[in-house]
Amino acid sequence: MQNQTSPLILTFGVADPIGAVGVHSDIGVFAALGCQGLSVTTALLIGDSARVEDQQHVEPDWVSDQARVVLEDVQVAAFKIGAVDQMEHISSIAEVVSDYPDAPLILDPFGSQLPPLSEQTDPEELLTVLRQLLVPQATLLMLSQVELGRMAETWRDLSNGETMGDDAQHLIDLGCEYVLVTGTPAGTSRSESGLRANTLYGDGGVIRHDRWQHLPGPFVGAGCVLSGAIAAYMARGLPLPQAVDLAQQYTFGALRNAQRYGMGRLVPNRFHAIAATDTKDKQ
């Protein structure tokens, strides 16, 4: 008899020793937002809060087998896919999630903290495979303006004058429902220089354009927290635009209350709301 009451989310990503990125970060975010995280590990990282020195990829068959066994046992409310830098992993994951089209899929495929691609991996081919296999299945694709531009190089001449909105619409035309472009400058005036904007695109144009105070950091895992929070709110049944709004608020709080584990970058505090409540209760 099933007695699970919290929404279940299956996340695909790396295993990070300090839990700043990847599946460990996602599981923390899910727990903080009332969900239960299940995980499929795609690679093992060697690193700390300052840098990632190396990674060991998991065999593609192991990636798909991890997911298949879990999914034969439980029903998940959402999928989250983190950084992927192996074409075989993209293919394996795409095949798995294609069997569950009704579950929201949050795709956050870029990880600046990961080591450079191996010489055997063609970056343009990797982006093309990602665009062809995973983007059409995504409820939301999250990426920065720079990452969007790099992906756009796989289908157009950058001298044609297309805008960020044009690039987002192209991805939506492929089947992705929404595109969230993060961390863009919010304006040109001096009063707006300390702001950053996240823009949510749907079919036909901008759905949300949210400006946030830029926190200096430096942080590790901020984007992972945001995409994980969106997945959690979606698993709880919220419409995506509202999930994006609440996830941004949650992420801002996690960054504002970030912790320094050692000598490296600040790690977002995924349990900041719980800690604040505990402090009030003790007072």
Side-chain angles (χ1 to χ4, degrees):
M1 179 180 296
Q2 185 181 32
N3 61 1
Q4 173 67 33
T5 58
S6 302
L8 298 173
I9 306 173
L10 182 61
T11 177
F12 298 80
V14 299
D16 174 20
I18 65 168
V21 298
V23 296
H24 294 105
S25 173
D26 287 339
I27 289 172
V29 171
F30 300 159
L33 296 176
C35 298
Q36 176 65 48
L38 312 171
S39 63
V40 171
T41 301
T42 59
L44 306 176
L45 301 186
I46 299 175
D48 55 22
S49 60
R51 68 187 65 83
V52 173
E53 296 183 356
D54 203 354
Q55 65 178 325
Q56 177 65 51
H57 290 99
V58 175
E59 289 292 330
D61 287 346
W62 279 58
V63 171
S64 57
D65 287 349
Q66 288 178 78
R68 292 290 186 193
V69 169
V70 169
L71 291 168
E72 288 172 2
D73 181 44
V74 303
Q75 182 176 355
V76 300
F79 291 102
K80 155 78 189 293
I81 301 174
V84 283
D85 61 359
Q86 293 278 298
M87 285 181 283
E88 295 83 359
H89 284 172
I90 294 173
S91 179
S92 295
I93 295 171
E95 185 176 356
V96 169
V97 298
S98 67
D99 290 335
Y100 304 88
D102 294 333
L105 191 160
I106 307 304
L107 177 59
D108 179 15
F110 297 102
S112 59
Q113 74 284 345
L114 297 184
L117 296 174
S118 67
E119 294 181 358
Q120 291 75 32
T121 302
D122 182 338
E124 183 171 344
E125 186 177 0
L126 181 73
L127 290 174
T128 299
V129 171
L130 176 70
R131 175 168 56 87
Q132 293 175 341
L133 297 185
L134 282 179
V135 169
Q137 299 191 60
T139 306
L140 173 77
L141 168 64
M142 190 181 106
L143 70 179
S144 71
Q145 185 174 4
V146 172
E147 292 159 350
L148 177 59
R150 289 173 181 166
M151 183 173 282
E153 293 178 8
T154 66
W155 74 74
R156 68 171 173 83
D157 183 348
L158 296 182
S159 64
N160 288 343
E162 281 88 346
T163 65
M164 184 169 69
D166 294 329
D167 294 337
Q169 185 62 50
H170 177 86
L171 295 170
I172 291 168
D173 290 341
L174 293 177
C176 179
E177 292 185 44
Y178 298 90
V179 174
L180 178 63
V181 184
T182 64
T184 60
T188 57
S189 68
R190 178 173 298 182
S191 62
E192 296 174 316
S193 61
L195 300 178
R196 293 293 184 272
N198 298 328
T199 305
L200 177 66
Y201 293 92
D203 189 18
V206 174
I207 303 296
R208 301 186 58 92
H209 181 74
D210 299 297
R211 302 194 300 175
W212 296 91
Q213 182 64 42
H214 176 62
L215 300 174
F219 302 102
V220 55
C224 191
V225 170
L226 177 57
S227 57
I230 295 171
Y233 284 118
M234 288 290 291
R236 288 169 49 182
L238 275 67
L240 191 134
Q242 185 182 2
V244 169
D245 179 26
L246 293 176
Q248 289 179 104
Q249 296 179 42
Y250 168 82
T251 303
F252 187 79
L255 297 181
R256 190 171 50 190
N257 294 277
Q259 301 168 318
R260 193 180 298 279
Y261 290 174
M263 296 179 289
R265 291 173 287 176
L266 293 164
V267 178
N269 182 356
R270 294 174 288 274
F271 295 97
H272 63 279
I274 298 173
T277 301
D278 289 343
T279 300
K280 290 179 181 179
D281 291 342
K282 292 177 181 178
Q283 293 175 349

